Amino acid sequence: MSPSCPTCDDAVATPALAPALAAPRSAWLAVGSIAVGTFVMVTTEFLPVGLLTDIARGLNVSDGTAGLMVTMPGVLAAFAAPALTVAAGRLDRRTVVLALTALLLVSNLLAAFAPSFSTMLVARLLLGLCVGGFWSFAPAVGTQLVPPADQPRAMSMILAGISVGTVLGVPAGALLGSVAGWRSAFAASALLTAVVLVVQLWLLPALPALRAIRPRDLLTPLTRRLAAVGLAAVVLMVAGHFAAYTYLKPLLQQIFGLSPALVTALLLVYGAAGFVGNFIGGRIVARSPLTAVIATTLLLAASLAVSTLIGAGVAAGAVVVLAWGVAFGMVPVSATGWMLKALPEAPEAGQAMLVTAFQVAIASGALLGGLAVDGRGIASAMLLGSVLVLAAAAVAAVLGRAPRAAALSVP
C-alpha cells in the first residue's frame, strides 16, 4: 500500500480481483475430472449387480457368496471415511485425490484379472477404501477449485456422477459383460480410470489442506447442533429411501403391472431424472441448504406414498418414477450442502461423518424394507419409507431453524 495514498492500492485492487470472481476454464475442467472419477467409482461399485451370476460362475462360487462383492465395499467405506480423513493429515488434497484415483485403477485391474474369488474380494475391499475416501474429500476439493459463487454448481457436477453412473455406467457395464465377458467390464472401467488419472495429473492444482483432522475432530459434527440435526435427518431420509428403493423393480412389476421391457425403460428414466435432480438441488442449495433438505424430503415422501395410491399402468409408473428420480438426485447435494454450511471450518470431518451416516442408513433401510416386504408386501415398504422420510423433514424443519438457521443460508 502506498503511504502517500492509502486508498489508491485498494482502488486498483478491486478491478484486479474481478477476474477471480469467475472460475477459469481450467478450474471447471478440473472439477469435471473429479466428476468423471465419481462416475467411474459408482459404476465400479455397482458393476457386480448386473454381472453377479456371471462372476459367480466364472470364479466358482454361489450367487449368495458372490453378493459379498456388493456388501463388503459398503461396510468398509463406512469405516474408511473417518479413518482416511484423519490419516490424510496435512497432505495436499491433490495428492490425496490422485492416490484414490490410482487405487481405483488398481482395484479395477485386480478385478479384471482376478484368478480367484479371494482376489476379487481384495479388489472390492480396495474399492471400499476408494468409496469412503473419495466421498470424504471430493466435495471439499470441488469447492476449493472455484470461487464461492460457483461452489454449489461444482458440487452438483461432482455429485451428478452418482446418477450418471447409475443410469449409464451400470447398464453399459452389464451389456459389455454380456457381450465380451464380465472381465471386460472391469477392464473398461480400468481404462477410463487411467484416463481420469492422467487428466487429474495435468489439471489439478496444488490444494493445501486447511488443517489436519485429528480423531477428536470427527466428533465435531456430533457436538454442533446444526451438523447433528443434519446427520439425523440424513439417516432418516436415506434409510427411508433405501427401504423402498431396494424394491423399486418389484414395485413396477407387481403394483404397476409393467412388462420387463417397460421396467427397464423406466429404470433408465429414473436415473436420468436423478441427474436432473442433482442440478435442481444444487440451485436450491445455493439459496438455502435448509430449504433444499425440506424440499427433497417432501418430494421423496410424496413419491413413495403416491406409489401405493396412484393405480396401475405405465403412465402412473412414469409419474412416480420421474418424481422419485428427481428427489433421489437431490439427496446427495442437499445433504452435502447442509454439512458444508453447518461446518464451514471442518468440511472434511463433516463429510466423513456424512459418508458413514449414508452407509449405515443404506444398510438399515434395506433391512427394514426387507422385513416390511416379507411381512406385508411391497406397498408396506413404500409406506414405511415415506414415514421415515417425513420424519427427516420434520427433524430438519423443526430443529434446523433455531437458534442458528440463518447460518445455513449462502450469502
mmCIF file of all heavy atoms in Angstrom, residues 163 166-167 171 245 248-275 307 310-326 328:
data_model
loop_
_atom_site.group_PDB
_atom_site.id
_atom_site.type_symbol
_atom_site.label_atom_id
_atom_site.label_comp_id
_atom_site.label_asym_id
_atom_site.label_seq_id
_atom_site.Cartn_x
_atom_site.Cartn_y
_atom_site.Cartn_z
ATOM 1 N N SER A 163 -25.699 -40.233 -10.353
ATOM 2 C CA SER A 163 -26.822 -40.506 -11.248
ATOM 3 C C SER A 163 -26.357 -41.005 -12.603
ATOM 4 O O SER A 163 -26.944 -41.929 -13.179
ATOM 5 C CB SER A 163 -27.673 -39.240 -11.420
ATOM 6 O OG SER A 163 -28.252 -38.882 -10.194
ATOM 7 N N THR A 166 -25.328 -44.510 -12.370
ATOM 8 C CA THR A 166 -26.487 -45.385 -12.228
ATOM 9 C C THR A 166 -27.212 -45.577 -13.553
ATOM 10 O O THR A 166 -27.565 -46.703 -13.924
ATOM 11 C CB THR A 166 -27.469 -44.808 -11.189
ATOM 12 O OG1 THR A 166 -26.797 -44.676 -9.945
ATOM 13 C CG2 THR A 166 -28.669 -45.726 -11.010
ATOM 14 N N VAL A 167 -27.416 -44.472 -14.283
ATOM 15 C CA VAL A 167 -28.247 -44.559 -15.484
ATOM 16 C C VAL A 167 -27.470 -45.065 -16.696
ATOM 17 O O VAL A 167 -28.028 -45.732 -17.570
ATOM 18 C CB VAL A 167 -28.892 -43.194 -15.808
ATOM 19 C CG1 VAL A 167 -27.851 -42.171 -16.216
ATOM 20 C CG2 VAL A 167 -29.955 -43.329 -16.888
ATOM 21 N N PRO A 171 -25.780 -50.064 -16.568
ATOM 22 C CA PRO A 171 -26.339 -50.800 -17.721
ATOM 23 C C PRO A 171 -25.299 -51.056 -18.814
ATOM 24 O O PRO A 171 -25.273 -52.138 -19.403
ATOM 25 C CB PRO A 171 -27.452 -49.873 -18.228
ATOM 26 C CG PRO A 171 -27.814 -49.045 -17.052
ATOM 27 C CD PRO A 171 -26.546 -48.830 -16.310
ATOM 28 N N TYR A 245 -36.399 -48.107 -2.232
ATOM 29 C CA TYR A 245 -35.665 -48.207 -3.491
ATOM 30 C C TYR A 245 -35.173 -49.630 -3.769
ATOM 31 O O TYR A 245 -35.120 -50.061 -4.922
ATOM 32 C CB TYR A 245 -34.474 -47.252 -3.461
ATOM 33 C CG TYR A 245 -33.558 -47.366 -4.658
ATOM 34 C CD1 TYR A 245 -33.986 -46.959 -5.918
ATOM 35 C CD2 TYR A 245 -32.260 -47.862 -4.528
ATOM 36 C CE1 TYR A 245 -33.151 -47.056 -7.013
ATOM 37 C CE2 TYR A 245 -31.418 -47.960 -5.628
ATOM 38 C CZ TYR A 245 -31.865 -47.553 -6.860
ATOM 39 O OH TYR A 245 -31.037 -47.658 -7.945
ATOM 40 N N LEU A 248 -37.756 -51.235 -5.898
ATOM 41 C CA LEU A 248 -38.339 -50.459 -6.998
ATOM 42 C C LEU A 248 -38.743 -51.354 -8.165
ATOM 43 O O LEU A 248 -39.834 -51.207 -8.721
ATOM 44 C CB LEU A 248 -37.337 -49.392 -7.468
ATOM 45 C CG LEU A 248 -37.746 -48.581 -8.704
ATOM 46 C CD1 LEU A 248 -39.077 -47.868 -8.480
ATOM 47 C CD2 LEU A 248 -36.652 -47.579 -9.063
ATOM 48 N N LYS A 249 -37.888 -52.286 -8.537
ATOM 49 C CA LYS A 249 -38.219 -53.165 -9.665
ATOM 50 C C LYS A 249 -39.447 -54.021 -9.373
ATOM 51 O O LYS A 249 -40.372 -54.077 -10.206
ATOM 52 C CB LYS A 249 -37.011 -54.041 -10.016
ATOM 53 C CG LYS A 249 -37.207 -54.865 -11.278
ATOM 54 C CD LYS A 249 -35.916 -55.581 -11.675
ATOM 55 C CE LYS A 249 -36.111 -56.381 -12.962
ATOM 56 N NZ LYS A 249 -34.845 -57.056 -13.373
ATOM 57 N N PRO A 250 -39.528 -54.693 -8.204
ATOM 58 C CA PRO A 250 -40.767 -55.433 -7.896
ATOM 59 C C PRO A 250 -41.996 -54.523 -7.834
ATOM 60 O O PRO A 250 -43.095 -54.949 -8.198
ATOM 61 C CB PRO A 250 -40.472 -56.054 -6.529
ATOM 62 C CG PRO A 250 -38.994 -56.149 -6.460
ATOM 63 C CD PRO A 250 -38.479 -54.952 -7.199
ATOM 64 N N LEU A 251 -41.817 -53.280 -7.388
ATOM 65 C CA LEU A 251 -42.939 -52.331 -7.349
ATOM 66 C C LEU A 251 -43.504 -52.122 -8.752
ATOM 67 O O LEU A 251 -44.722 -52.193 -8.972
ATOM 68 C CB LEU A 251 -42.481 -50.997 -6.758
ATOM 69 C CG LEU A 251 -43.496 -49.848 -6.844
ATOM 70 C CD1 LEU A 251 -44.589 -50.011 -5.798
ATOM 71 C CD2 LEU A 251 -42.798 -48.499 -6.669
ATOM 72 N N LEU A 252 -42.610 -51.871 -9.706
ATOM 73 C CA LEU A 252 -43.050 -51.616 -11.072
ATOM 74 C C LEU A 252 -43.697 -52.857 -11.697
ATOM 75 O O LEU A 252 -44.638 -52.747 -12.482
ATOM 76 C CB LEU A 252 -41.865 -51.156 -11.922
ATOM 77 C CG LEU A 252 -41.252 -49.804 -11.525
ATOM 78 C CD1 LEU A 252 -40.004 -49.523 -12.340
ATOM 79 C CD2 LEU A 252 -42.268 -48.678 -11.694
ATOM 80 N N GLN A 253 -43.208 -54.025 -11.338
ATOM 81 C CA GLN A 253 -43.755 -55.256 -11.904
ATOM 82 C C GLN A 253 -45.063 -55.668 -11.238
ATOM 83 O O GLN A 253 -46.039 -56.008 -11.917
ATOM 84 C CB GLN A 253 -42.725 -56.386 -11.761
ATOM 85 C CG GLN A 253 -41.493 -56.209 -12.627
ATOM 86 C CD GLN A 253 -40.446 -57.288 -12.368
ATOM 87 O OE1 GLN A 253 -40.286 -57.743 -11.238
ATOM 88 N NE2 GLN A 253 -39.736 -57.694 -13.401
ATOM 89 N N GLN A 254 -45.107 -55.636 -9.910
ATOM 90 C CA GLN A 254 -46.249 -56.195 -9.177
ATOM 91 C C GLN A 254 -47.367 -55.181 -8.934
ATOM 92 O O GLN A 254 -48.540 -55.519 -9.027
ATOM 93 C CB GLN A 254 -45.761 -56.764 -7.844
ATOM 94 C CG GLN A 254 -44.755 -57.896 -7.993
ATOM 95 C CD GLN A 254 -44.222 -58.370 -6.659
ATOM 96 O OE1 GLN A 254 -44.866 -58.219 -5.613
ATOM 97 N NE2 GLN A 254 -43.020 -58.942 -6.660
ATOM 98 N N ILE A 255 -47.011 -53.955 -8.601
ATOM 99 C CA ILE A 255 -48.036 -52.943 -8.292
ATOM 100 C C ILE A 255 -48.533 -52.254 -9.560
ATOM 101 O O ILE A 255 -49.731 -52.051 -9.751
ATOM 102 C CB ILE A 255 -47.490 -51.903 -7.294
ATOM 103 C CG1 ILE A 255 -47.015 -52.586 -6.011
ATOM 104 C CG2 ILE A 255 -48.549 -50.846 -6.990
ATOM 105 C CD1 ILE A 255 -48.106 -53.311 -5.259
ATOM 106 N N PHE A 256 -47.590 -51.899 -10.453
ATOM 107 C CA PHE A 256 -47.984 -51.199 -11.671
ATOM 108 C C PHE A 256 -48.220 -52.143 -12.841
ATOM 109 O O PHE A 256 -48.708 -51.716 -13.885
ATOM 110 C CB PHE A 256 -46.923 -50.149 -12.040
ATOM 111 C CG PHE A 256 -46.844 -49.005 -11.071
ATOM 112 C CD1 PHE A 256 -45.873 -48.978 -10.091
ATOM 113 C CD2 PHE A 256 -47.757 -47.961 -11.120
ATOM 114 C CE1 PHE A 256 -45.802 -47.939 -9.186
ATOM 115 C CE2 PHE A 256 -47.700 -46.915 -10.223
ATOM 116 C CZ PHE A 256 -46.717 -46.905 -9.249
ATOM 117 N N GLY A 257 -47.885 -53.405 -12.679
ATOM 118 C CA GLY A 257 -48.166 -54.404 -13.699
ATOM 119 C C GLY A 257 -47.440 -54.202 -15.008
ATOM 120 O O GLY A 257 -48.005 -54.434 -16.085
ATOM 121 N N LEU A 258 -46.160 -53.790 -14.961
ATOM 122 C CA LEU A 258 -45.421 -53.478 -16.176
ATOM 123 C C LEU A 258 -44.587 -54.671 -16.641
ATOM 124 O O LEU A 258 -44.135 -55.489 -15.842
ATOM 125 C CB LEU A 258 -44.506 -52.275 -15.938
ATOM 126 C CG LEU A 258 -45.208 -50.992 -15.463
ATOM 127 C CD1 LEU A 258 -44.203 -49.865 -15.314
ATOM 128 C CD2 LEU A 258 -46.332 -50.595 -16.416
ATOM 129 N N SER A 259 -44.365 -54.731 -17.949
ATOM 130 C CA SER A 259 -43.563 -55.793 -18.540
ATOM 131 C C SER A 259 -42.083 -55.534 -18.247
ATOM 132 O O SER A 259 -41.691 -54.406 -17.929
ATOM 133 C CB SER A 259 -43.779 -55.827 -20.051
ATOM 134 O OG SER A 259 -43.260 -54.647 -20.647
ATOM 135 N N PRO A 260 -41.240 -56.563 -18.364
ATOM 136 C CA PRO A 260 -39.802 -56.368 -18.143
ATOM 137 C C PRO A 260 -39.209 -55.257 -19.010
ATOM 138 O O PRO A 260 -38.342 -54.503 -18.554
ATOM 139 C CB PRO A 260 -39.201 -57.735 -18.492
ATOM 140 C CG PRO A 260 -40.304 -58.701 -18.187
ATOM 141 C CD PRO A 260 -41.575 -57.994 -18.573
ATOM 142 N N ALA A 261 -39.640 -55.150 -20.271
ATOM 143 C CA ALA A 261 -39.108 -54.114 -21.155
ATOM 144 C C ALA A 261 -39.466 -52.722 -20.646
ATOM 145 O O ALA A 261 -38.624 -51.800 -20.639
ATOM 146 C CB ALA A 261 -39.646 -54.314 -22.573
ATOM 147 N N LEU A 262 -40.720 -52.543 -20.191
ATOM 148 C CA LEU A 262 -41.131 -51.247 -19.667
ATOM 149 C C LEU A 262 -40.423 -50.936 -18.346
ATOM 150 O O LEU A 262 -40.089 -49.774 -18.069
ATOM 151 C CB LEU A 262 -42.653 -51.224 -19.470
ATOM 152 C CG LEU A 262 -43.489 -51.097 -20.745
ATOM 153 C CD1 LEU A 262 -44.977 -51.236 -20.424
ATOM 154 C CD2 LEU A 262 -43.212 -49.766 -21.439
ATOM 155 N N VAL A 263 -40.204 -51.960 -17.539
ATOM 156 C CA VAL A 263 -39.481 -51.753 -16.284
ATOM 157 C C VAL A 263 -38.071 -51.245 -16.563
ATOM 158 O O VAL A 263 -37.599 -50.287 -15.942
ATOM 159 C CB VAL A 263 -39.434 -53.061 -15.459
ATOM 160 C CG1 VAL A 263 -38.439 -52.925 -14.296
ATOM 161 C CG2 VAL A 263 -40.820 -53.402 -14.933
ATOM 162 N N THR A 264 -37.394 -51.864 -17.525
ATOM 163 C CA THR A 264 -36.047 -51.434 -17.895
ATOM 164 C C THR A 264 -36.050 -49.988 -18.374
ATOM 165 O O THR A 264 -35.183 -49.186 -18.005
ATOM 166 C CB THR A 264 -35.481 -52.345 -18.997
ATOM 167 O OG1 THR A 264 -35.422 -53.688 -18.510
ATOM 168 C CG2 THR A 264 -34.086 -51.896 -19.406
ATOM 169 N N ALA A 265 -37.044 -49.639 -19.195
ATOM 170 C CA ALA A 265 -37.135 -48.275 -19.709
ATOM 171 C C ALA A 265 -37.340 -47.273 -18.579
ATOM 172 O O ALA A 265 -36.711 -46.198 -18.544
ATOM 173 C CB ALA A 265 -38.277 -48.176 -20.720
ATOM 174 N N LEU A 266 -38.227 -47.608 -17.623
ATOM 175 C CA LEU A 266 -38.487 -46.688 -16.523
ATOM 176 C C LEU A 266 -37.312 -46.598 -15.559
ATOM 177 O O LEU A 266 -37.105 -45.547 -14.929
ATOM 178 C CB LEU A 266 -39.761 -47.095 -15.781
ATOM 179 C CG LEU A 266 -41.071 -46.803 -16.509
ATOM 180 C CD1 LEU A 266 -42.267 -47.152 -15.630
ATOM 181 C CD2 LEU A 266 -41.151 -45.329 -16.917
ATOM 182 N N LEU A 267 -36.528 -47.656 -15.436
ATOM 183 C CA LEU A 267 -35.331 -47.572 -14.602
ATOM 184 C C LEU A 267 -34.319 -46.599 -15.213
ATOM 185 O O LEU A 267 -33.632 -45.868 -14.493
ATOM 186 C CB LEU A 267 -34.703 -48.959 -14.432
ATOM 187 C CG LEU A 267 -35.479 -49.937 -13.545
ATOM 188 C CD1 LEU A 267 -34.790 -51.295 -13.521
ATOM 189 C CD2 LEU A 267 -35.645 -49.401 -12.123
ATOM 190 N N LEU A 268 -34.244 -46.573 -16.544
ATOM 191 C CA LEU A 268 -33.394 -45.598 -17.211
ATOM 192 C C LEU A 268 -33.931 -44.184 -17.015
ATOM 193 O O LEU A 268 -33.170 -43.245 -16.801
ATOM 194 C CB LEU A 268 -33.291 -45.928 -18.707
ATOM 195 C CG LEU A 268 -32.501 -47.191 -19.055
ATOM 196 C CD1 LEU A 268 -32.645 -47.508 -20.545
ATOM 197 C CD2 LEU A 268 -31.036 -47.037 -18.691
ATOM 198 N N VAL A 269 -35.253 -44.043 -17.069
ATOM 199 C CA VAL A 269 -35.877 -42.741 -16.813
ATOM 200 C C VAL A 269 -35.576 -42.285 -15.393
ATOM 201 O O VAL A 269 -35.282 -41.112 -15.144
ATOM 202 C CB VAL A 269 -37.402 -42.822 -17.049
ATOM 203 C CG1 VAL A 269 -38.097 -41.559 -16.543
ATOM 204 C CG2 VAL A 269 -37.694 -43.025 -18.531
ATOM 205 N N TYR A 270 -35.615 -43.221 -14.461
ATOM 206 C CA TYR A 270 -35.326 -42.916 -13.057
ATOM 207 C C TYR A 270 -33.920 -42.328 -12.911
ATOM 208 O O TYR A 270 -33.712 -41.313 -12.244
ATOM 209 C CB TYR A 270 -35.462 -44.188 -12.230
ATOM 210 C CG TYR A 270 -35.144 -44.032 -10.760
ATOM 211 C CD1 TYR A 270 -36.140 -43.707 -9.850
ATOM 212 C CD2 TYR A 270 -33.851 -44.210 -10.288
ATOM 213 C CE1 TYR A 270 -35.852 -43.562 -8.499
ATOM 214 C CE2 TYR A 270 -33.555 -44.073 -8.944
ATOM 215 C CZ TYR A 270 -34.557 -43.752 -8.055
ATOM 216 O OH TYR A 270 -34.260 -43.609 -6.733
ATOM 217 N N GLY A 271 -32.954 -42.979 -13.544
ATOM 218 C CA GLY A 271 -31.589 -42.483 -13.462
ATOM 219 C C GLY A 271 -31.418 -41.123 -14.108
ATOM 220 O O GLY A 271 -30.724 -40.247 -13.582
ATOM 221 N N ALA A 272 -32.057 -40.925 -15.271
ATOM 222 C CA ALA A 272 -31.977 -39.632 -15.949
ATOM 223 C C ALA A 272 -32.619 -38.531 -15.109
ATOM 224 O O ALA A 272 -32.105 -37.410 -15.024
ATOM 225 C CB ALA A 272 -32.653 -39.730 -17.314
ATOM 226 N N ALA A 273 -33.740 -38.848 -14.469
ATOM 227 C CA ALA A 273 -34.398 -37.873 -13.594
ATOM 228 C C ALA A 273 -33.498 -37.527 -12.409
ATOM 229 O O ALA A 273 -33.454 -36.377 -11.961
ATOM 230 C CB ALA A 273 -35.738 -38.422 -13.108
ATOM 231 N N GLY A 274 -32.772 -38.519 -11.903
ATOM 232 C CA GLY A 274 -31.838 -38.262 -10.810
ATOM 233 C C GLY A 274 -30.742 -37.303 -11.225
ATOM 234 O O GLY A 274 -30.317 -36.447 -10.449
ATOM 235 N N PHE A 275 -30.282 -37.418 -12.463
ATOM 236 C CA PHE A 275 -29.266 -36.499 -12.976
ATOM 237 C C PHE A 275 -29.795 -35.064 -12.968
ATOM 238 O O PHE A 275 -29.098 -34.121 -12.556
ATOM 239 C CB PHE A 275 -28.887 -36.925 -14.387
ATOM 240 C CG PHE A 275 -27.855 -36.059 -15.039
ATOM 241 C CD1 PHE A 275 -26.533 -36.125 -14.643
ATOM 242 C CD2 PHE A 275 -28.208 -35.185 -16.041
ATOM 243 C CE1 PHE A 275 -25.566 -35.319 -15.249
ATOM 244 C CE2 PHE A 275 -27.262 -34.376 -16.651
ATOM 245 C CZ PHE A 275 -25.934 -34.444 -16.256
ATOM 246 N N SER A 307 -47.016 -43.823 -4.739
ATOM 247 C CA SER A 307 -46.785 -45.062 -5.477
ATOM 248 C C SER A 307 -47.760 -46.168 -5.079
ATOM 249 O O SER A 307 -48.015 -47.086 -5.866
ATOM 250 C CB SER A 307 -45.349 -45.551 -5.262
ATOM 251 O OG SER A 307 -45.158 -46.001 -3.929
ATOM 252 N N ILE A 310 -51.722 -44.434 -6.646
ATOM 253 C CA ILE A 310 -51.981 -43.849 -7.951
ATOM 254 C C ILE A 310 -52.593 -44.829 -8.939
ATOM 255 O O ILE A 310 -53.151 -44.445 -9.965
ATOM 256 C CB ILE A 310 -50.680 -43.239 -8.523
ATOM 257 C CG1 ILE A 310 -50.980 -42.278 -9.667
ATOM 258 C CG2 ILE A 310 -49.724 -44.331 -8.958
ATOM 259 C CD1 ILE A 310 -49.768 -41.488 -10.133
ATOM 260 N N GLY A 311 -52.508 -46.113 -8.673
ATOM 261 C CA GLY A 311 -53.078 -47.115 -9.577
ATOM 262 C C GLY A 311 -52.011 -47.777 -10.425
ATOM 263 O O GLY A 311 -50.810 -47.565 -10.238
ATOM 264 N N ALA A 312 -52.464 -48.571 -11.385
ATOM 265 C CA ALA A 312 -51.552 -49.346 -12.223
ATOM 266 C C ALA A 312 -51.373 -48.688 -13.583
ATOM 267 O O ALA A 312 -52.035 -47.702 -13.911
ATOM 268 C CB ALA A 312 -52.079 -50.772 -12.386
ATOM 269 N N GLY A 313 -50.449 -49.242 -14.388
ATOM 270 C CA GLY A 313 -50.260 -48.754 -15.743
ATOM 271 C C GLY A 313 -48.965 -47.989 -15.911
ATOM 272 O O GLY A 313 -48.350 -47.523 -14.953
ATOM 273 N N VAL A 314 -48.562 -47.835 -17.184
ATOM 274 C CA VAL A 314 -47.282 -47.208 -17.468
ATOM 275 C C VAL A 314 -47.281 -45.720 -17.148
ATOM 276 O O VAL A 314 -46.268 -45.167 -16.697
ATOM 277 C CB VAL A 314 -46.889 -47.443 -18.950
ATOM 278 C CG1 VAL A 314 -47.882 -46.761 -19.892
ATOM 279 C CG2 VAL A 314 -45.477 -46.968 -19.217
ATOM 280 N N ALA A 315 -48.419 -45.025 -17.354
ATOM 281 C CA ALA A 315 -48.477 -43.596 -17.068
ATOM 282 C C ALA A 315 -48.292 -43.336 -15.574
ATOM 283 O O ALA A 315 -47.531 -42.444 -15.164
ATOM 284 C CB ALA A 315 -49.798 -43.006 -17.550
ATOM 285 N N ALA A 316 -48.994 -44.117 -14.749
ATOM 286 C CA ALA A 316 -48.862 -43.960 -13.295
ATOM 287 C C ALA A 316 -47.432 -44.272 -12.858
ATOM 288 O O ALA A 316 -46.845 -43.546 -12.039
ATOM 289 C CB ALA A 316 -49.846 -44.888 -12.583
ATOM 290 N N GLY A 317 -46.865 -45.343 -13.423
ATOM 291 C CA GLY A 317 -45.493 -45.696 -13.069
ATOM 292 C C GLY A 317 -44.508 -44.619 -13.468
ATOM 293 O O GLY A 317 -43.560 -44.324 -12.727
ATOM 294 N N ALA A 318 -44.719 -44.016 -14.634
ATOM 295 C CA ALA A 318 -43.817 -42.971 -15.109
ATOM 296 C C ALA A 318 -43.859 -41.741 -14.203
ATOM 297 O O ALA A 318 -42.814 -41.131 -13.919
ATOM 298 C CB ALA A 318 -44.184 -42.581 -16.540
ATOM 299 N N VAL A 319 -45.068 -41.361 -13.745
ATOM 300 C CA VAL A 319 -45.196 -40.209 -12.844
ATOM 301 C C VAL A 319 -44.411 -40.449 -11.553
ATOM 302 O O VAL A 319 -43.647 -39.587 -11.091
ATOM 303 C CB VAL A 319 -46.683 -39.937 -12.528
ATOM 304 C CG1 VAL A 319 -46.813 -38.924 -11.392
ATOM 305 C CG2 VAL A 319 -47.407 -39.429 -13.764
ATOM 306 N N VAL A 320 -44.593 -41.624 -10.976
ATOM 307 C CA VAL A 320 -43.897 -41.953 -9.733
ATOM 308 C C VAL A 320 -42.389 -41.982 -9.942
ATOM 309 O O VAL A 320 -41.619 -41.418 -9.149
ATOM 310 C CB VAL A 320 -44.397 -43.300 -9.175
ATOM 311 C CG1 VAL A 320 -43.502 -43.781 -8.030
ATOM 312 C CG2 VAL A 320 -45.840 -43.175 -8.702
ATOM 313 N N VAL A 321 -41.945 -42.633 -11.006
ATOM 314 C CA VAL A 321 -40.513 -42.776 -11.268
ATOM 315 C C VAL A 321 -39.852 -41.422 -11.518
ATOM 316 O O VAL A 321 -38.749 -41.151 -11.032
ATOM 317 C CB VAL A 321 -40.291 -43.731 -12.455
ATOM 318 C CG1 VAL A 321 -38.880 -43.592 -13.017
ATOM 319 C CG2 VAL A 321 -40.537 -45.169 -12.018
ATOM 320 N N LEU A 322 -40.518 -40.551 -12.262
ATOM 321 C CA LEU A 322 -39.960 -39.224 -12.527
ATOM 322 C C LEU A 322 -39.789 -38.428 -11.243
ATOM 323 O O LEU A 322 -38.719 -37.851 -10.982
ATOM 324 C CB LEU A 322 -40.850 -38.461 -13.510
ATOM 325 C CG LEU A 322 -40.664 -38.777 -14.996
ATOM 326 C CD1 LEU A 322 -41.751 -38.107 -15.821
ATOM 327 C CD2 LEU A 322 -39.284 -38.296 -15.464
ATOM 328 N N ALA A 323 -40.845 -38.362 -10.433
ATOM 329 C CA ALA A 323 -40.772 -37.600 -9.187
ATOM 330 C C ALA A 323 -39.757 -38.204 -8.229
ATOM 331 O O ALA A 323 -38.960 -37.492 -7.601
ATOM 332 C CB ALA A 323 -42.157 -37.535 -8.537
ATOM 333 N N TRP A 324 -39.781 -39.518 -8.115
ATOM 334 C CA TRP A 324 -38.858 -40.220 -7.215
ATOM 335 C C TRP A 324 -37.411 -40.022 -7.676
ATOM 336 O O TRP A 324 -36.510 -39.779 -6.874
ATOM 337 C CB TRP A 324 -39.226 -41.705 -7.200
ATOM 338 C CG TRP A 324 -38.570 -42.525 -6.119
ATOM 339 C CD1 TRP A 324 -37.549 -42.152 -5.294
ATOM 340 C CD2 TRP A 324 -38.900 -43.864 -5.771
ATOM 341 N NE1 TRP A 324 -37.213 -43.185 -4.446
ATOM 342 C CE2 TRP A 324 -38.028 -44.247 -4.724
ATOM 343 C CE3 TRP A 324 -39.835 -44.779 -6.243
ATOM 344 C CZ2 TRP A 324 -38.071 -45.519 -4.148
ATOM 345 C CZ3 TRP A 324 -39.886 -46.046 -5.666
ATOM 346 C CH2 TRP A 324 -39.013 -46.410 -4.617
ATOM 347 N N GLY A 325 -37.179 -40.112 -8.976
ATOM 348 C CA GLY A 325 -35.836 -39.940 -9.507
ATOM 349 C C GLY A 325 -35.291 -38.551 -9.251
ATOM 350 O O GLY A 325 -34.128 -38.381 -8.855
ATOM 351 N N VAL A 326 -36.099 -37.532 -9.474
ATOM 352 C CA VAL A 326 -35.661 -36.156 -9.202
ATOM 353 C C VAL A 326 -35.326 -35.997 -7.720
ATOM 354 O O VAL A 326 -34.299 -35.405 -7.349
ATOM 355 C CB VAL A 326 -36.739 -35.145 -9.636
ATOM 356 C CG1 VAL A 326 -36.398 -33.747 -9.125
ATOM 357 C CG2 VAL A 326 -36.876 -35.124 -11.153
ATOM 358 N N PHE A 328 -34.434 -38.332 -5.588
ATOM 359 C CA PHE A 328 -33.204 -39.068 -5.288
ATOM 360 C C PHE A 328 -31.972 -38.269 -5.700
ATOM 361 O O PHE A 328 -30.964 -38.231 -4.992
ATOM 362 C CB PHE A 328 -33.214 -40.412 -6.005
ATOM 363 C CG PHE A 328 -31.862 -41.081 -6.050
ATOM 364 C CD1 PHE A 328 -31.319 -41.654 -4.909
ATOM 365 C CD2 PHE A 328 -31.129 -41.115 -7.226
ATOM 366 C CE1 PHE A 328 -30.068 -42.263 -4.949
ATOM 367 C CE2 PHE A 328 -29.887 -41.718 -7.269
ATOM 368 C CZ PHE A 328 -29.348 -42.292 -6.125
#
